[in-house]
Amino acid sequence: MHKKFSILRSSTLAVAAVAMVGLGMTGCTTTPPTNDGPHADRREVNHDADEATAKLFETVPSARELVRRSKGYLVFPAVLQAGLVVGGEYGKGALHVGNMTEDYYRLYAGSVGWQIGAQSKAIFVLFMTQDSLDKFRASRGWQVGADATVALATIGANGDIDTNTAQQPVIGFVTTNAGLMAGVSLQGAKISKM
């Protein structure tokens, strides 16, 4: 019981840490507020997702073919990771099926361990089979590791995506301004509709 309370408390603190950093960063923006509500938010997600996808294709050219072959893909263009000992991640994204945005989602995750500061990254989740996409769509809340394993893409010496990764039903990419991140995990990340 004590362990469950500790995990719940850690998750709550992680979400609170991300919320506090997000509120602090919101206060620093110079963009004037809009009255469009969720429509403005969705336009911003679409714009940022398009930019993040273009940057992915520029950084990892072989990702273009995987995205083209996928049955659908999620783009979270700006996932904020922040914390002080207890941390968390939060971001908004869009599910693309074919050439259209089908729906909007949020991603959140918590972590415990030594960490300080904040950083932003883009996360891509590609559903390579119809079955994996259908299971994602049917879920009321999808968790990496519990509902599906996400094989994170790695780049070989030739600059192409590892062929073992390319054959998995769900593939993930994590990028920063410096390029593709290595040695990261999406394990435990939760994705739900906005």
Side-chain angles (χ1 to χ4, degrees), residues 70-127:
S70 73
K71 302 301 180 186
Y73 63 99
L74 285 164
V75 181
F76 295 94
V79 176
L80 179 65
Q81 178 180 359
L84 179 64
V85 181
V86 175
E89 297 181 23
Y90 177 80
K92 296 176 184 175
L95 174 64
H96 297 270
V97 177
N99 292 324
M100 298 180 60
T101 300
E102 181 176 281
D103 221 330
Y104 297 88
Y105 291 83
R106 60 177 49 95
L107 175 143
Y108 56 95
S111 61
V112 179
W114 183 246
Q115 53 201 316
I116 189 166
Q119 117 180 30
S120 181
K121 59 189 173 188
I123 295 176
F124 300 83
V125 179
L126 284 59
F127 300 98

Side-chain angles (χ1 to χ4, degrees), residues 102-186:
E102 181 176 281
D103 221 330
Y104 297 88
Y105 291 83
R106 60 177 49 95
L107 175 143
Y108 56 95
S111 61
V112 179
W114 183 246
Q115 53 201 316
I116 189 166
Q119 117 180 30
S120 181
K121 59 189 173 188
I123 295 176
F124 300 83
V125 179
L126 284 59
F127 300 98
M128 303 307 292
T129 64
Q130 191 63 49
D131 183 56
S132 64
L133 177 61
D134 291 345
K135 286 179 180 175
F136 172 76
R137 285 169 161 162
S139 70
R140 292 187 158 262
W142 193 80
Q143 183 173 353
V144 176
D147 294 305
T149 299
V150 176
L152 285 176
T154 56
I155 305 299
N158 61 358
D160 289 334
I161 295 169
D162 176 61
T163 54
N164 290 331
T165 303
Q167 296 172 14
Q168 301 303 313
V170 184
I171 301 171
F173 291 92
V174 180
T175 63
T176 63
N177 286 336
L180 193 66
M181 289 182 73
V184 295
S185 173
L186 297 179

Side-chain angles (χ1 to χ4, degrees), residues 46-68:
N46 285 335
H47 176 266
D48 293 349
D50 289 345
E51 284 188 351
T53 303
K55 184 159 180 67
L56 173 67
F57 294 162
E58 179 184 317
T59 309
V60 186
S62 53
R64 183 183 302 271
E65 177 62 19
L66 283 179
V67 168
R68 189 190 65 72

